[in-house]
Amino acid sequence: MQTELDLFDPQSPQQPQWVGPHAVLLPGFALPQVEAMLPALRQVVASAPFRHMLTPGGLKMAVGLTNCGALGWVSDRQGYRYSPVDPLSNRPWPAMPEVLLDLAGHAAALAGFADFSPDACLVNCYRPGNRLSLHQDRDEQDFSQPIVSVSLGLPAVFLLGGHRRNEPTQRIGLRHGDVLVWGGEDRLRFHGVLPLKPGAHPVLGSLRINLTLRKAG
Ligand code: MD3
Ligand code: FE
């Protein structure tokens, strides 16, 4: 019976899954670090709270955002860019927690990217119904650097497209503790998140938090 139970355990260890030539899903890779990450994240949000940024077109983004690290991704009527200060406080963003730096470095190395040292961590907060429309991440200086993302809380369906907006997308389930590494030719693929389904996660409640670690500068 034990084997069967394990097979159906949603958090049983799984092998890395290549979802593209240079894109790897590491299921549950962050689980051992979650306990250390949550207090660090609470500290970040205490000094730089989640906010709804405006798109350059003037629409309010549904997903709440904040940042930690030397640089933070911001959006307003002027456009998208990285800023060393939080526009809400005019102070530097909270420091990147060591636990995130370590996790991102280890995940990137497993995917074949040695010496990844992110200077920016975008923190996205989704509530049920929130989605992220198809986009590319192209506000960073060096596209040869990978991106590492960590999913926490409610599960989501991630959409992975191609290099043009109208190419077909594949759906990838992302769960609490999953880590994704994107590099090489996959780095500039279109991607998005379907509307979050209602639910309650035992650790985070009715939220999904996604951390995206990048070398932006
Ligand atoms: C694929 N966040 O913040 S993370 C974003 O779940 C973003 O909040 C999503 O897209 C989220 O920009 C997806 C996974 C991810 C991150 C970067 C990528 C996938 C990517 C870059 C290229 C291709
Ligand atoms: Fe993105």
Side-chain angles (χ1 to χ4, degrees):
M1 266 334 262
Q2 191 56 48
T3 313
E4 240 176 290
L5 285 174
D6 281 346
L7 282 172
F8 290 101
D9 174 3
Q11 299 286 12
S12 67
Q14 287 178 269
Q15 292 304 305
Q17 295 166 26
W18 264 260
V19 297
H22 302 276
V24 188
L25 169 60
L26 303 170
F29 187 77
L31 286 176
Q33 270 70 54
V34 167
E35 255 190 88
M37 278 165 55
L38 292 179
L41 275 177
R42 279 191 199 99
Q43 265 199 312
V44 167
V45 173
S47 43
F50 288 116
R51 77 290 308 267
H52 297 278
M53 294 186 185
L54 286 184
T55 66
L59 299 175
K60 202 190 255 185
M61 297 173 82
V63 174
L65 305 183
T66 188
N67 293 278
C68 56
L71 292 170
W73 187 86
V74 296
S75 175
D76 58 22
R77 294 304 299 247
Q78 272 62 58
Y80 308 128
R81 64 196 171 279
Y82 282 92
S83 166
V85 294
D86 178 349
L88 280 187
S89 65
N90 283 315
R91 288 182 295 136
W93 296 101
M96 176 93 71
E98 203 69 40
V99 59
L100 289 184
L101 268 184
D102 284 356
L103 181 70
H106 284 124
L110 272 183
F113 300 94
D115 304 317
F116 178 50
S117 64
D119 55 13
C121 177
L122 172 61
V123 186
N124 294 328
C125 180
Y126 296 76
R127 295 175 182 281
N130 292 172
R131 64 193 286 267
L132 188 65
S133 53
L134 221 53
H135 67 278
Q136 291 173 298
D137 289 16
R138 48 186 317 150
D139 301 316
E140 300 75 27
Q141 299 283 342
D142 180 0
F143 298 148
S144 76
Q145 290 289 319
I147 294 180
V148 174
S149 96
V150 182
S151 291
L152 298 172
L154 287 178
V157 178
F158 175 74
L159 291 178
L160 179 60
H163 287 86
R164 296 169 190 215
R165 187 179 293 279
N166 58 9
E167 280 177 58
T169 56
Q170 65 182 103
R171 293 172 176 219
I172 297 167
L174 292 181
R175 294 189 301 195
H176 182 70
D178 287 354
V179 174
L180 282 160
V181 183
W182 306 89
E185 65 193 67
D186 294 313
R187 171 70 174 72
L188 285 170
R189 285 168 77 170
F190 278 89
H191 58 279
V193 178
L194 288 183
L196 198 73
K197 288 200 179 134
H201 185 270
V203 179
L204 281 171
S206 190
L207 294 178
R208 171 175 186 258
I209 305 276
N210 181 267
L211 312 170
T212 312
L213 292 112
R214 305 175 170 130
K215 174 96 181 69

